[in-house]
Amino acid sequence: MRMQEVAPGGYRKVLELNTYVQANVNPTLLELIKLRASMVNGCAFCVDMHSADALKAGETSRRRLALSAWTESPFFTEEERAALALTDAVTRISEGGVPDQVWDAARAIWSEKEVADIVMAAIMINAFNRIAISTRRLPEGA
């Protein structure tokens, strides 16, 4: 199923959220958020797409691969680590919500609005992951 064809109104709303986060989240950070959430969710379509997008945007192969083990990797900044922890918590929301320490680390770095935008980015990619996984979308060329 191609959700954008079957339910174009709903799909457009998710695209609107994507447009919002693109305008409000640092592009490098946004690519990390999209790729990490897609890895956590096991969305092959989105991992493939966002890995390629990150590479085109100048992200290194080393960091893209290290993203799967970001907590143990030395390749991410304090800001990126806080965003990745928040992304993981939002993506795994059923496992106890967003822990205070994750929230506090993010708020120590960013304003309330910036944290809200990172949360919105995680929500957006999780929505796209769920669309791709539930409709069995495969990577291009598969």
Side-chain angles (χ1 to χ4, degrees):
M1 174 188 306
R2 294 191 52 86
M3 193 69 72
Q4 61 270 39
E5 295 168 6
V6 178
Y11 193 82
R12 270 194 306 274
K13 295 300 181 186
V14 181
L15 285 175
E16 287 175 24
L17 183 53
N18 183 53
T19 300
Y20 173 84
V21 298
Q22 285 178 332
N24 289 282
V25 177
N26 171 284
T28 300
L29 188 61
L30 182 56
E31 288 304 325
L32 292 175
I33 291 167
K34 291 189 289 188
L35 185 52
R36 176 60 188 170
S38 298
M39 288 175 170
V40 170
N41 285 321
C43 182
F45 176 80
C46 293
V47 166
D48 181 67
M49 178 173 57
H50 297 303
S51 182
D53 289 348
L55 187 62
K56 283 184 219 168
E59 192 58 76
T60 66
S61 293
R62 190 175 203 184
R63 279 175 35 106
R64 288 181 308 136
L65 291 170
L67 198 53
S68 65
W70 71 267
T71 59
E72 302 298 323
S73 173
F75 306 126
F76 301 99
T77 67
E78 179 184 358
E79 292 82 6
E80 291 167 339
R81 288 177 178 288
L84 292 169
L86 193 52
T87 298
D88 281 6
V90 171
T91 301
R92 296 179 171 125
I93 199 80
S94 68
E95 297 175 14
V98 177
D100 289 343
Q101 67 196 39
V102 170
W103 192 260
D104 293 345
R107 284 293 287 130
I109 295 169
W110 294 295
S111 70
E112 188 172 50
K113 168 73 165 66
E114 290 167 323
V115 171
D117 289 340
I118 291 167
V119 170
M120 294 304 281
I123 290 168
M124 175 274 303
I125 190 56
N126 273 280
F128 276 121
N129 290 166
R130 280 149 179 75
I131 290 169
I133 293 167
S134 64
T135 61
R136 299 182 177 148
R137 186 95 189 257
L138 298 174
E140 300 299 323

